Structures are given as C-alpha cells and as structure tokens.
Amino acid sequence: MMQNDRNHVRAEQQPAAPHAAQAPAADTRHEPMSLPPDALIIVPVRNIVLFPGIVLPLSLGRPKSIAAAQEAARRERPIGVLLQREPEADDPAPEQMYRTGTLGGILRYVTAQDGTHHVVCQGEQRFRVLEFLDGYPFMVARIERIEEPDDRTPETEARLFHLKERALEALQLLPQVPPELISTVQSVSSPSTGADMVASFMDLKPEEKQEVLETLDVRRRLDRVIELLNYRIEILKLSRDIGQQTRDSMEGRQREYILREQLKAIQKELGEGEGTAAEIQELEKAIAEAGMPPEVEEQARKELKRLERMPEAAAEYSMVRTYLDWLIELPWSKLSEDAIDITEARRILDEDHYGLDKIKRRILEYLAVRKLNPTGKSPILCFVGPPGVGKTSLGQSIARATGRKFVRASLGGVHDEAEIRGHRRTYIGALPGNIIQGIRKAGTRNPVFMLDEMDKLGAGFHGDPSSALLEVLDPEQNSTFRDNYLAVPFDLSQVMFIGTANVLDGIPGPLRDRMEVIELPSYTEDEKVEIARRYLVRRQLEANGLTPEQAEISDEAIRAIVRDYTREAGVRNLERLIGSVFRNLAVRIAEGQVEHVRIGPEDLHGILGPRRFEDEVAMRTSVPGVATGLAWTPVGGDILFVEATRVPGSGKLILTGQLGDVMKESAQAALSLIKSRAGELGIAESLFEKSDIHVHVPAGAIPKDGPSAGVAMFTALVSLLTGRCARSDTAMTGEISLRGLVLPVGGIKEKVLAAHRAGIRRVMLPARNRKDFEDIPESARNDLEFVWLERVDDATAAALSGSHTQGAERAEPMPASAG
Ligand SMILES: Nc1ncnc2c1ncn2[C@@H]1O[C@H](COP(=O)(O)OP(=O)(O)OP(=O)(O)O)[C@@H](O)[C@H]1O
Ligand SMILES: [Mg+2]
C-alpha cells in the first residue's frame, strides 16, 4: 500500500491502463459472505491518511488488500482506510493498527496493464474501530461512524481564515503550484474541511496526519494544523533564503550542486527523500532515450526538477511521477514500418472475411493511394453497419495488411470532452484521454486506430466530445494534438483512424462530413451459413482445442442455428453459439466419452436448449398489452414489440423507448381511435379516467420512427384494455387513420423477411400494399400466411384471441401493471 519503499512507489505510479475496469474481474466472484450491518471492510495502509472530502488513489499491493477492495467494490460499499501503526508489518495484527480511519467510497477500481491494482477513493467520513472481527479473508471491523456536527463558531471561523492565509503563503513558496489547488483552498468554507484539506495536501509524516485525523475537536484540529503549517513555512523560507544567498555568489553547476546538497540535508532532517537520487537518475536516462521532440523533452526535464525537490511523501510527488511515466512511455518517435503490399493485403482481407467484395475493393484502393502517396491526406474511413457484420474485424485485417498495430477506443456513452482529451493534471486521479491512452497501448505513433460506436457519442455539459474528435481527425490540426493531461502536443498525423457506427444518423454531422462512409449491409441467411462454414467453425474449433477430425457440424445444423437461435444482422451470436456447441463437445471428447462427433440439427436442442426465437415472441405476447410489430431499418427489417401497460393516473399517455415524433403521434392516434370506439370494443370509459396508459417500444438499436407501427400500437392497446392476448405467431405493420382505416407503408419486403427470420407464421399487412407482394421472395411467401387489412377492426379480429366480455371483466379491477 503506497509505502515508501521504492518498488511500491513505482508500482503506484504505473498509470492505469486504458482497459481499466470499473469493477474487478468476474472470475473472482464467489459466494457473498455475510457481514454484520455495522461491519466494514478495512484496507490497512502504511503511509497514507485519507481525510473526508479528499480524493486519493491507493495502490493495492497485498493480496488481502486486493481481495478487500474487490469485495467492497462488488458490494458497492466503502472501504475503511486505516493507517498501520507499524508500517513494516505485511499482515498487521489489530494491535498494529490505529483505531481511527476514514470511510473511502470507491470511485474507480483499476487493474493496470502491468497487473497492479489501484482504487481511487473519496474520503467520506471518519470512523472509529469498535472491534476487529475474525474469520474473513481480509481485515473486517465493527465500527462506529463519527458524526461531525456543524462546526462554525466565531472561534473556528477566525482560525479557518488564518489557516487559509497561511496555506496560501505556503503554496506561494512552493514551486509550480497548480492554480486549482490555490482556488480550492480559497473557496473552502467549512472549518473542519479546511483543516482536513490542508493537512492532507501538506507533506506531513503519516503519524502527524493521523494525529490531525484523530483530533475531533475542530478548534484544536485547526490549531494543530496551523502549527504544523507554520513549521513548514519556516522550512520553506529557510530553503528559499539559502537559495537566494547562494545564487548571488555562485555560478552554474556549482551552485546547483550545493543547493541540492542543502536540499538533501533539509530533507534528511525531515526524515525524507533518501534514495531518490537513483530514481531521478533512472528517469533522466529514460527521458533522454524516449525520443521526445525538444519541446516535450524540455517539459519533462522541468517536471523532473520539480520531482527532485519534492519530498516523496507529498501527494503531489506521485502525480508528477505518473506524469513523467506517461511522457516517457509514449511512442514519440516509434513507427511501424509501413509496408503496403497490395497483393498481400488482398490475400489477408480474403483470408479473414467472406464476401464483402465491394468493401474490400474500396479498402484496397485506399491502401493503394496511401502507398503511392504516403504523405498525402487520405480520407478517414468509417464503417457503418449493424452489430457483428465485421466492422471491427475488418479494421484488424487492415492493420495486419499494413503491418501496423491495432488499437480501439469505444466512444459509446462518452459525453465528456475530458474522456477524449484527458483531464488536467491538477485534478486528482487525472489521466490522459482515450486517444493518448490508445496510442500508448499501441506503442507506435502510426497504428490503425479504430473509433468504435461513433453514433453513440453523447453530448454533455462538460464540453462537447465531438469537437475534440474533430480535432483528432483533422489533418490540419492533429499533428499537434494537445491532451489536457499531457499539456504538450502529440503528433497524430500518422495514425490511420477508422470510425465505426451502427447507424449513420447517430454520427454528429460535422464528424460525418469528415469521413468516407462505407456501409456494411446485414448478411442473408445463405451468407451467414457460408461465413460459418468457412470461418467461424474453424475459428471456434481452434479456440476450443478441437480438430476437424474430432468435431464436425453439418450445414443443416448451422442453418438451424441461424434460423432458430439467432436473430441478428451479423454473425456474432452465431459464432458464439457455434462456440457453445464445440465447448460442449470438447467436454465429451476430453472425458473420453466419444472420439468423433458430427453435429446435426437434431442435436441442437440438447446442447443449446429450446429454439429461441419462436419462444421469444410467444413469451412476450403471453400477457395482454403486447403486439409484435415490424420495423424497417436501413439494413434490413426487424421485429419489434409494442408493449402497453396501465398504471393508476389521470388519463395521460406516456411514451418511452426513444420514439421519434411521428411514432409518438401514431400512438396518440391509436389511443384516440380506441377512446372513440370504446363502446364497440367493450372497454369501460371509466378506465381512461383513472389510469395512465404507458406505451413502451423496447430494443435500443432499431431506429423507431415513422407511422408504420400504428396497427401494432392499436392492437397492443386494445389487447391491454380488453385483456385479450395477441397471437404469438402473428406480426403486423400498417399506418392507421383516425377513422380507423389501415394505410399502406414502405419496406414490405424487408419486414416480411424479418418476420420470417424471427419464426413468425402470420403477417398482417395493409390491403393497399398488395402490390408489393410480388417483391417478397418466394421462400417467405410460401412459408407465411398473409392477412390483408382494410380497417383496424380487421387487425384486432385477426390478431387477438378470446372474447370481449371475458377480457373486459379481467381488465376492470385495476392491476398495477397489466402489460
Ligand atoms: N464476412 C465475414 N467473414 C468472416 N467472419 C466475419 C465476417 N463478418 C463478420 N465476421 C466475424 O464476426 C465476428 C463479429 O464481427 P465484428 O466484431 O467485426 O463486428 P462489428 O461489425 O465490429 O460489430 P459491432 O458493431 O457490434 O462492433 C468477428 O469474429 C468477425 O470476424
Ligand atoms: Mg465492433
């Protein structure tokens, strides 16, 4: 735990890897153990005191501490950060611990690339240990939280004022203090927080900090911190004066040598700083070898000087050290040799991907242009298509074909500019943004860098992430990309950026304009079978340690998986399920039950369970209020469920599921239509007065707008209000008018194919779409029954089961939720 010995300090400085996990790995999961309600998981620390209101990174060195922090993170409970009386003890006994500590809320749990574990903790409240408990794999204690009542009295306010003044004075004496620290000190208004904050930032000995932590009387606490601070200021002044005098009388290196000696003497006096010299030397060497541009090298040396002057125990020391590690480890001048061989590239693309001819051709053109004119500004490619159609894996192939490294960053859910461009270093726990993290991971400055999920980029209040991305992608600007954390420019101009997105519409306009969009369509059933036969089966055999002699899977079985177990545009689930089949076989083969197995469609039930998709529809529509609709998407159709439910209320219509305006209107129209003919439908008018109707259309990836869900909305609502279930084998599409007519819609072919894929047997279409019947492929036409709708009553008559009266009775006593 952040102790002073060199190895640990090093480990602590290792910056968190980009793949830092929010929570510990799933495989460490075990049965939850029971803890008494007032018990707390304790993480013993050797030389750190966490104060309430302060955020600190802790490195976890000892296995027990890692287990403790993981357990707490899993339970979403704070840990108790408790100082050891004896810092050397590796497995401290209760009597080697102090009794007062601070509850630390876990903000982030990070497993760094080098395997070290860290937590970023927010100090919440002081606590006192009542008793340590035995029988846990880590330290656990029953504790009592220490409440700190409002402490504002004239006495404490006056002391706070004085403390702030002194603290600012001390900060002025320190070299290069971040301005944020100054403003934080200026703005603190609570006396107890003020004392804690200053104690936390000051480079005090751990025992001194512990003493401050244990001083609960705020007035006495302030006095003690002021006393410690005064002493510090004296030292700092002394050091400044020595510097002043010697600077006057000495020159150059001699002066520096003497200053350094004096500094060492002072630090020694304070019991700090021995052994830093070797570390500094090491860093100096690393800086010289990092191949930095002159501006960066200068900055690195400046920071190194600061580090040298800093006592090791200071919180800032670790910040500077981490920063230097980032500067040293970035590939400032490391390049993969760009060897583009078009024939070889074609071979690699074919080796990894089936079909996609047009796309492969475009990629080869792109590479050819790049080969002929390496310094030219080539366009940025953006692969757009549904999940699992090979966007990411095409990117990997491009990297392989060009001999570059491959890295990716997901932009999904990024709504803060800082995630792209990093946080300023003055912010505790700050790190560079996604881009620089990716570059460091790549280890070269010309990788293929995939920006995934560009359509899921958020826009937040902390700066717009898309404007930061624009800069990243702009060839005019990206040679001097400035990450907030690094605060020096990094040259991204050699990086080959590739974007990916599921839908084009989600990508912010200016970003879209900067890229060349390549659309990847969804695969047909035949293509999927072919991809599985040629690629996925081989890959999954290998992944599960099997040979083609041991295990086989028939084409019919593959087709059955495609049809009955997956409903996707791409092949990701297909690959996963083929994997499950082989895993199952691997067990049987390893146990010696069999030597060779060939899987046919009849074997799937035993391995993968019942067919999934018929079941999904059946399950969803097993309650009143759900109807199966059909959606058209730019990449093929899909089925979607319209779910309606009734909650106590006053007749409002609630719509959720990210519906577009037109779709919302069609829900409104469906409800009005029902109200206007409540009598005919056998629905009591009073139902509308005392309830709100909630219509939800789940499934995030389908764009949901347009009027074509009108019939499904109407059917779902009638189903809800009459208590009659919709038939699970039936899906529908069609716009409705307020007079109850069913109007024609577009995308009939794709919708019918989607229904077919999903195992639907009956499709209800607007009668006025009969002209589109010809477009529907024969196979689907033969398998499906078609119901042609003139009016909405045709829809309810054909789709809903059961009788009116029975349904109306069921619906009368108001259920909290019927859908
Ligand atoms: N045409 C193809 N030939 C061979 N394998 C393919 C093909 N298309 C996809 N795959 C395989 O399918 C899997 C999923 O593809 P990938 O991860 O690239 O999808 P994606 O388009 O990036 O999806 P997402 O939008 O979810 O990120 C990969 O293992 C990939 O190799
Ligand atoms: Mg992907």
Side-chain angles (χ1 to χ4, degrees), residues 392 408 452 572:
T392 304
R408 47 191 286 216
D452 267 332
R572 181 166 296 134

